[in-house]
Amino acid sequence: MTNLLDIENLRVRFPTRQGHFDAVRGISFSLGRERLGIVGESGSGKSMTGRAILKLIRKPGEVTADRMQMGKTDLRTASDRQMRKIRGRHASMIMQDPKFSLNPVMSVGQQITEALTTHERISRLDARKRAIQMLDAVAIRDPERVMGLYPHEVSGGMGQRIMIAMMLIPDPEILIADEPTSALDVSVQLSVLEIMDRLVTDRGMGLIFISHDLNLVSQFCDRILIMYAGRIVEVCQAGKLHEAQHPYTIGLLNSVPDLQHPRPRLDVLKRDPAWSAAPSVSALT
Amino acid sequence: MTHQTLRDWLLTDTPQSRRQASAAAWYAGWLKLKRNTLAMAGLIVLIALILGALCAPLLATQDPFVQDLGARLLAPGTDGHIFGTDSLGRDIWSRLIYGARISLYIVALVAVVAPLLGLIIGTVAGYAGGILDVVLMRFTDIFLAFPRLILALAFVAALGAGIENAVLAISLTAWPPYARIARAETLTIRNSDFIHAIKLQGAGPLRIITRHVWPLCISSLVIRVTLDMAGIILTAAGLGFLGLGAQPPSPEWGAMVSEGRKYILDYWWVATIPGLAIFTISLAFNLLGDGLRDVLDPREAGK
Amino acid sequence: MSAIDLSDLTVWFGHGAERSDAVKSASFSVDTGESFGLVGESGSGKSTVLRAISGLIDSWAGTMQLDGKPLGRRRERSFYKAVQMVFQDPYASLHPRHTVDRVLGEVLKLHGFSDIDARIDKLLDDVGLGKGFRFRYPHQLSGGQRQRVAIARALAPEPRIVLLDEPTSALDVSVQAEILNLLSDLRAERGLTYLMVSHDLGVIGHMCERIAVMQQGRIVELLDVAQMRKLSAEHPYTRHLLDSSVRAVRQA
């Protein structure tokens, strides 16, 4: 089976007053038709990785890699025009907060049909029909009514489901979800994730799920990359998270307070400088 | 202390004393401003102007008030008159240098009075809210509704011509935009958690406004003032031009343009050279203001 | 004796037809020395309760008592000496142009302390930062360090009661663990009473002995931590919350 995405030695670097800051430092991974989780804390470079794939890093930041292959396209040499085609058609991205990703002056229906008509030759009526089907697929009741609503009229959970509908409607092969549920309440979080999970699995897409929440990721992914200071420190199969070896991964797991297994004190991560100095673990398959 | 260690001391992320912390903050701002070449150009022009005004007696080649009717309307460059002479035979270069003192005097006074008035009115209105806000802001609106130059003219006409009254008139017409800006900033700052936090320490409104709201408003006002400087100089020059500002024979630039206008076709330099001086320092203030915006923008401060 | 006693508290925003009630006749009491949790999802009114107690909102009705004495519309300085608050977002709760030294110094001065220098150093040591951080600006601090400064500020007047408004929700989990441990230690050392608001049942379960569950402005259930761990809640909404929270943490 061929991979949807192959990345080798990816680096994202920003110039600063004191020289360079490397947000991502030479990571390699590939994505098949699977659900890949990228986990790390703020500043670990996980979001930068997601953005670098779609070339959404703004100047003066620069992205370099030995290989960035998406299907037949070499992303390193792709022009802005080609990238616009790729975004949406081949790969989509869901951001953290729907409030900032939906256009406040366009109705939900307009935005979803626009996502479709920019990538396909399709009549208005058909586009509308597909949009309603899609809203139905993300478990929105009464999709006809929701089509006419504006972003401020929908709740956070519904907004994020609309985003998922919008991103999945051009039928991309790869979905990058960057903290898709961190802005949502716990009880809504799970249902949104379950919907996303079902759609991705049904369509045989590749999912990159970026999150700070190791436990949550382990439920919705097959393989997990753990990032620390711009590098991959460990690659785990989701089912074997309890076998994790790296002290950082273990520390992350133990620092979460657990309702049913109370401890008098929470474990605190002792950050070892050797972690960031160690070479990145390859996650190529 | 060598240059390198002083730089390190200023660039530290771990300041050890109050003095170092504020010095480092100033130095970071300076580095940011230094990167903007145009702003630096503006700053250099203004520094040159201030030095020129301070050293006017040394730089002037002649007494700016001495008339020499035998040498009237000489072209630039003749007989050691760099910029020529005016209709009464006075050296234009010397008058320009002395005129810089008047322009800077006006600018400095207006730059203190108008923003301060605006800051006080705007922050009080924004922080207090309710009736006080409505009253103060309608009062501001009334001032804003008059064309600025006309209002200034009216004030000068009522108070009598002269530099001090011109300054007063310009300040009285210049404050409303500052009040607006200060109020808008205050409205966003008022509801932030750090203001709530200091309220929970029992701090009163006076302390909150002066210690917590002002420092965040002042940066946008400083930017706005520098950008408005050009306008203030032009208004002062306009008043001078109309004969309501500085009185002859004082070498105010606007008055000089006004005097030269009779000869504009045959002796262009008499009006053009003071005009160019006004243009240059207005431009310098605008460039500096643009640079300061990048350095002082409070939205950038958190990053 | 109860440190905080609320009965029939209603808090609203807006006037007349625009009025919306954020908290609807809530009643509970927090015992002295206890750690009490207030749980709910966004918009449930849990933070509004804290803001009404601290005096940041004055459109409320009902009774609020501090150590058995009713609170009025205006808070005295003595109230703020007894009750302090830590805010949710450490990026918004520190003045961007004030150094740590200035933040703490001002608070100490407001409360009339004289040995300010020594106290600032002591406070910074107590929250695990140390003197080296004294002259830094907020932008020179990480999120966890900022929250430690905010905690130091809240502790400066030596309060007995601390209101905690989602103190760790803006932080990474490993930093959250450090801050929660710090809060537990401080409570043990100083005998503090906590009233903590959070949407995270794991955090509340770790920190609190009793909790109140809020939904759309109402308190739907009061339960203690043992009941919570056994997932034996009466109200369907509480059960739903507990269930989602446990499922989110459960390992695959």
Side-chain angles (χ1 to χ4, degrees):
Chain A
M1 194 179 86
T2 54
N3 285 332
L4 294 171
L5 188 67
D6 284 296
I7 306 277
E8 271 174 50
N9 199 16
L10 174 74
R11 285 174 181 278
V12 179
R13 134 182 308 195
F14 292 90
T16 64
R17 217 186 294 142
Q18 283 96 0
H20 287 287
F21 170 68
D22 290 303
V24 179
R25 304 185 298 156
I27 65 166
S28 305
F29 65 94
S30 50
L31 174 75
R33 295 188 188 278
E34 62 175 336
R35 298 168 301 173
L36 180 72
I38 301 183
V39 179
E41 297 189 290
S42 48
S44 62
K46 57 186 193 304
S47 291
M48 285 299 160
T49 305
R51 285 162 181 272
I53 295 169
L54 290 183
K55 290 184 112 174
L56 291 171
I57 306 275
R58 282 210 209 110
K59 293 270 167 207
E62 54 181 88
V63 179
T64 56
D66 292 348
R67 203 158 98 89
M68 275 178 95
Q69 194 79 24
M70 182 184 288
K72 289 190 187 70
T73 325
D74 185 350
L75 295 178
R76 288 176 307 166
T77 54
S79 66
D80 285 354
R81 236 182 98 104
Q82 279 172 302
M83 281 316 296
R84 273 199 295 276
K85 254 188 186 159
I86 287 170
R87 286 178 216 135
R89 179 123 215 149
H90 296 283
S92 299
M93 188 155 181
I94 298 175
M95 309 272 190
Q96 181 168 359
D97 198 333
K99 271 196 214 92
F100 301 118
S101 341
L102 290 168
N103 184 342
V105 296
M106 275 168 81
S107 75
V108 167
Q110 279 172 321
Q111 296 188 52
I112 300 179
T113 46
E114 196 196 354
L116 195 54
T117 47
T118 45
H119 294 291
E120 278 177 54
R121 293 180 148 273
I122 186 169
S123 75
R124 257 169 195 289
L125 208 68
D126 286 340
R128 195 183 151 76
K129 232 183 252 165
R130 286 257 305 268
I132 289 172
Q133 277 172 4
M134 197 67 222
L135 283 179
D136 196 48
V138 293
I140 284 177
R141 268 167 282 158
D142 200 1
E144 306 254 357
R145 187 181 63 87
V146 174
M147 289 281 282
L149 296 181
Y150 284 86
H152 68 269
E153 296 172 301
V154 302
S155 66
M158 197 194 270
Q160 204 57 308
R161 279 182 286 164
I162 291 168
M163 273 307 290
I164 294 174
M166 209 165 113
M167 289 302 145
L168 291 186
I169 202 164
D171 244 335
E173 289 168 311
I174 299 172
L175 180 68
I176 301 170
D178 187 357
E179 303 267 8
T181 57
S182 317
L184 306 179
D185 284 324
V186 206
S187 60
V188 189
Q189 240 176 37
L190 286 174
S191 68
V192 170
L193 285 179
E194 273 155 14
I195 289 163
M196 191 175 84
D197 187 40
R198 199 187 68 228
L199 289 171
V200 166
T201 322
D202 289 353
R203 291 161 183 237
M205 294 165 57
L207 170 71
I208 297 179
F209 184 3
I210 299 167
S211 174
H212 66 279
D213 192 334
L214 193 46
N215 287 308
L216 199 65
V217 170
S218 68
Q219 287 179 63
F220 290 97
C221 290
D222 306 312
R223 209 152 58 100
I224 303 173
L225 317 182
I226 290 109
M227 281 186 75
Y228 180 78
R231 291 189 169 157
I232 300 173
V233 293
E234 188 161 22
V235 183
C236 280
Q237 294 299 317
K240 294 181 182 160
L241 200 55
H242 53 277
E243 292 173 18
Q245 296 293 317
H246 198 280
Y248 178 65
T249 318
I250 298 169
L252 270 191
L253 281 170
N254 288 341
S255 60
V256 185
D258 185 340
L259 188 58
Q260 288 180 300
H261 306 95
R263 285 160 292 173
R265 282 184 78 77
L266 297 168
D267 294 357
V268 171
L269 261 178
K270 296 249 178 339
R271 284 156 210 279
D272 187 341
W275 297 351
S276 46
S280 185
V281 177
S282 165
L284 290 168
T285 46
Chain B
M1 197 182 278
T2 65
H3 174 75
Q4 189 53 42
T5 54
L6 177 65
R7 195 182 137 85
D8 289 345
W9 186 78
L10 284 169
L11 279 177
T12 179
D13 261 342
T14 55
Q16 296 304 318
S17 68
R18 225 163 277 176
R19 209 159 48 95
Q20 191 185 4
S22 60
W26 281 101
Y27 188 63
W30 165 245
L31 284 183
K32 219 165 162 187
L33 186 69
K34 226 169 73 174
R35 262 182 298 166
N36 188 333
T37 11
L38 283 176
M40 287 312 287
L43 188 65
I44 289 167
V45 169
L46 292 174
I47 289 174
L49 185 79
I50 292 169
L51 287 178
L54 285 174
C55 313
L58 299 176
L59 290 170
T61 48
Q62 291 175 17
D63 188 319
F65 300 108
V66 167
Q67 305 179 3
D68 179 2
L69 291 178
R72 58 194 294 264
L73 299 171
L74 289 182
T78 41
D79 289 348
H81 299 289
I82 309 170
F83 289 148
T85 56
D86 68 3
S87 61
L88 295 172
R90 293 172 296 197
D91 183 47
I92 293 183
W93 162 250
S94 307
R95 285 179 68 75
L96 268 189
I97 291 286
Y98 275 95
R101 289 184 162 186
I102 300 175
S103 291
L104 285 175
Y105 173 70
I106 294 174
V107 160
L109 277 182
V110 175
V112 171
V113 177
L116 197 64
L117 201 62
L119 182 66
I120 293 171
I121 293 179
T123 45
V124 168
Y127 190 77
I131 288 288
L132 194 57
D133 184 25
V134 173
V135 170
L136 285 175
M137 285 334 276
R138 289 306 80 79
F139 184 63
T140 310
D141 287 342
I142 292 170
F143 269 84
L144 270 176
F146 283 103
R148 202 155 140 186
L149 191 60
I150 310 268
L151 190 61
L153 273 177
F155 276 120
V156 179
L159 298 166
I163 294 186
E164 281 75 19
N165 287 342
V167 167
L168 197 60
I170 297 170
S171 305
L172 284 175
T173 55
W175 68 268
Y178 303 124
R180 277 281 180 86
I181 296 173
R183 176 175 173 269
E185 293 274 345
T186 310
L187 288 181
T188 54
I189 297 166
R190 183 175 75 166
N191 286 323
S192 53
D193 277 349
F194 58 85
I195 297 294
H196 290 153
I198 193 70
K199 265 192 201 166
L200 293 193
Q201 305 295 349
L206 184 66
R207 171 180 284 268
I208 294 177
I209 290 179
T210 54
R211 302 277 183 92
H212 295 257
V213 178
W214 279 11
L216 291 174
C217 289
I218 281 173
S219 39
S220 22
L221 286 188
V222 167
I223 296 162
R224 182 66 199 253
V225 169
T226 5
L227 291 174
D228 278 359
M229 279 303 164
I232 291 166
I233 291 167
L234 291 176
T235 314
L239 288 176
F241 183 84
L242 294 169
L244 293 167
Q247 292 304 299
S250 80
E252 202 271 323
W253 294 352
M256 286 167 74
V257 176
S258 164
E259 279 167 13
R261 110 196 105 131
K262 281 174 269 178
Y263 314 103
I264 189 92
L265 290 178
D266 299 318
Y267 310 100
W268 57 268
W269 59 90
V270 184
T272 310
I273 285 174
L276 279 176
I278 295 173
F279 166 77
T280 313
I281 89 162
S282 304
L283 186 66
F285 270 119
N286 270 337
L287 292 177
L288 181 65
D290 246 7
L292 282 178
R293 192 200 326 255
D294 297 339
V295 177
L296 292 175
D297 193 337
R299 277 162 286 275
E300 296 287 317
K303 287 166 197 161
Chain C
M1 193 176 77
S2 47
I4 297 173
D5 193 58
L6 306 183
S7 67
D8 207 20
L9 177 73
T10 299
V11 187
W12 63 90
F13 296 109
H15 305 281
E18 301 265 288
R19 170 174 154 160
S20 70
D21 291 1
V23 179
K24 297 164 190 159
S25 62
S27 307
F28 64 86
S29 60
V30 182
D31 290 338
T32 305
E34 182 186 30
S35 175
F36 189 92
L38 212 49
V39 178
E41 303 200 313
S42 47
S44 62
K46 56 190 192 305
S47 293
T48 311
V49 172
L50 287 198
R51 279 163 196 260
I53 295 173
S54 63
L56 289 175
I57 302 174
D58 56 8
S59 51
W60 54 272
T63 48
M64 294 198 262
Q65 292 186 330
L66 176 73
D67 296 328
K69 287 186 237 35
L71 291 172
R73 295 280 136 190
R74 294 188 67 97
R75 301 283 186 273
E76 309 291 323
R77 177 79 42 102
S78 61
F79 172 84
Y80 295 121
K81 220 161 155 52
V83 183
Q84 279 294 319
M85 181 155 161
V86 176
F87 292 87
Q88 171 173 13
D89 184 358
Y91 291 87
S93 70
L94 295 178
H95 195 290
R97 295 271 160 91
H98 289 181
T99 56
V100 174
D101 173 64
R102 184 158 173 197
V103 169
L104 298 178
E106 182 172 25
V107 171
L108 289 166
K109 213 179 288 168
L110 274 167
H111 287 280
F113 291 105
S114 52
D115 48 343
I116 287 176
D117 267 347
R119 276 181 184 267
I120 291 178
D121 287 345
K122 172 86 172 45
L123 278 169
L124 287 175
D125 275 341
D126 287 353
V127 296
L129 282 176
K131 296 181 193 69
F133 287 85
R134 183 165 165 186
F135 299 104
R136 295 208 195 170
Y137 285 94
H139 65 87
Q140 292 165 329
L141 302 172
S142 71
Q145 290 165 346
R146 287 176 190 222
Q147 199 60 303
R148 285 173 193 265
V149 173
I151 291 170
R153 172 176 59 193
L155 293 179
E158 303 186 332
R160 285 170 287 123
I161 301 167
V162 181
L163 310 175
L164 301 162
D165 187 1
E166 306 238 23
T168 59
S169 68
L171 306 174
D172 280 324
V173 276
S174 64
V175 182
Q176 164 170 289
E178 292 170 17
I179 297 289
L180 292 181
N181 283 343
L182 172 68
L183 287 170
S184 306
D185 293 346
L186 290 168
R187 181 172 160 233
E189 280 164 27
R190 300 174 175 231
L192 298 170
T193 305
Y194 283 164
L195 172 53
M196 183 175 194
V197 157
S198 181
H199 67 278
D200 187 330
L201 284 158
V203 169
I204 287 283
H206 177 76
M207 294 290 293
C208 302
E209 286 117 41
R210 285 195 306 140
I211 66 162
V213 181
M214 287 190 75
Q215 184 194 17
Q216 289 168 10
R218 284 181 204 286
I219 292 184
V220 295
E221 190 165 5
L222 287 164
L223 65 171
D224 62 36
V225 76
Q227 285 171 296
M228 208 164 110
R229 295 212 171 107
K230 279 184 283 175
L231 309 183
S232 64
E234 301 278 316
H235 196 279
Y237 179 70
T238 314
R239 277 209 295 272
H240 171 65
L241 268 189
L242 284 169
D243 183 51
S244 343
S245 154
V246 168
R247 274 207 299 154
V249 178
R250 186 189 56 205
Q251 289 175 21

